[in-house]
Amino acid sequence: MAHKKGVGSSKNGRESAAQRLGIKIFGGQKVVAGNIIVRQRGSKHNAGNNVAMGKDDTLYALVDGTVNFHKGKRDKSYVSVIPEPQA
């Protein structure tokens, strides 16, 4: 007899976990060197002064300081860290 097998659980299981993207530390907030500032796909925000971009486009701080979001050439968004003055 040509019966189709009852398919329940074998058709499920394709729900993936959320990627937790977005801005993690906002403008004006303090950061420590190594802190992740933005998790993103593609360069929606670009690395400015004292900020580096990881291979998955994550932006992170290179020095301790204050985060600053600003517009640069061609109205692109840049993220910089303004270092704290040394005492």
Side-chain angles (χ1 to χ4, degrees):
M1 290 192 279
H3 286 296
K4 187 167 173 144
K5 185 177 169 90
V7 285
S9 63
S10 64
K11 287 257 183 170
N12 301 330
R14 283 181 299 282
E15 192 68 32
S16 59
Q19 295 185 324
R20 277 91 173 172
L21 301 177
I23 298 173
K24 305 300 178 187
I25 300 175
F26 292 89
Q29 290 185 303
K30 303 272 186 202
V31 288
V32 179
N35 278 143
I36 291 174
I37 302 170
V38 181
R39 301 236 319 127
Q40 60 186 351
R41 292 292 166 260
S43 55
K44 180 174 181 178
H45 303 283
N46 296 276
N49 295 333
N50 302 313
V51 173
M53 185 179 286
K55 68 177 184 177
D56 63 346
D57 299 318
T58 296
L59 299 181
Y60 59 93
L62 294 176
V63 297
D64 298 356
T66 307
V67 175
N68 179 32
F69 285 82
H70 54 94
K71 295 286 186 172
K73 291 183 181 177
R74 298 199 180 114
D75 216 30
K76 282 185 166 184
S77 175
Y78 285 87
V79 183
S80 296
V81 173
I82 299 165
E84 294 177 348
Q86 298 297 324

